[in-house]
Amino acid sequence: MDGNGRWAERRHLPRVAGHRAGAEAVRRTMQAAVDAGVEVLTLYAFSSENWRRSVEEVSDLTGLMRFYVERELETLQREQVRLKLIGDPGAFGPELSGKLHAALERTAANNRLTLVVALNYGSQAEIAGAARELARRAVAGEVTPEQIDEAALAGLLQTHDLPPLDLLIRTSGEVRLSNFLLWQAAYAELVFTETLWPDFDEEAFKGALAEFTRRQRRFGGR
Ligand code: FPP
């Protein structure tokens, strides 16, 4: 969800205004995903590298998420959206963690769209964590090194209960993955758009889905 800062800058507004507009784009995109019958939508809301931002910006983002998780709980229920978190959201303090936890519990039985929010997430740390757990199991004699394969590792990622990633969209003209779902993106189609995240809407989402359907997926075959 890149481009909030630039969106604000172009309007001579503080960065937080860009994040606020970005949160509105989250609402629109979630609705577009529900309407399109998408099974899972994962949003990269805060990377483990985003702590390098100013204390003020981190606090603005935390406040925004606190506000939205409370305000949008009704929408999640109405649209039958199940919330799931990946990353390490505990780092945002007890208030946001508490609200997120309540939202996870309240929406657990919803079965239309799974909305995965990546919070304090880093893909390399996720993969290292899975490798560490496999090593621990090997040392404990629970698995042999020969049993460690792609499925064993994928089964220990935080996305283990989600279907394979089909489409990855990055906004604002940046053309890199920035530590997002690196393992999971092995066969994903990548769509890069110049649209800044706050301008992302249903039309842009449908455009990315249309691009996806035009791609020929071969998964290494011919
Ligand atoms: C990247 O734009 C955006 C973020 C680091 C924050 C994303 C957060 C939200 C959209 C707000 C709330 C989230 C939820 C789930 C309600 P940037 O600041 O890096 O933009 P720039 O590259 O133009 O500076």
Side-chain angles (χ1 to χ4, degrees), residues 1-6 15 19 22-23 26 45 50 53 57 61 65 68 117 197:
M1 301 192 285
D2 226 354
N4 295 351
R6 276 162 286 166
R15 289 180 67 81
H19 294 316
V26 167
N50 284 151
R53 298 193 174 203
E57 187 169 352
L61 279 167
M65 289 189 281
Y68 269 88
V117 183
W197 176 252

Side-chain angles (χ1 to χ4, degrees), residues 21-37:
E24 287 303 316
V26 167
R27 298 182 61 221
R28 288 196 298 269
T29 306
M30 188 191 83
Q31 192 59 52
V34 169
D35 295 342

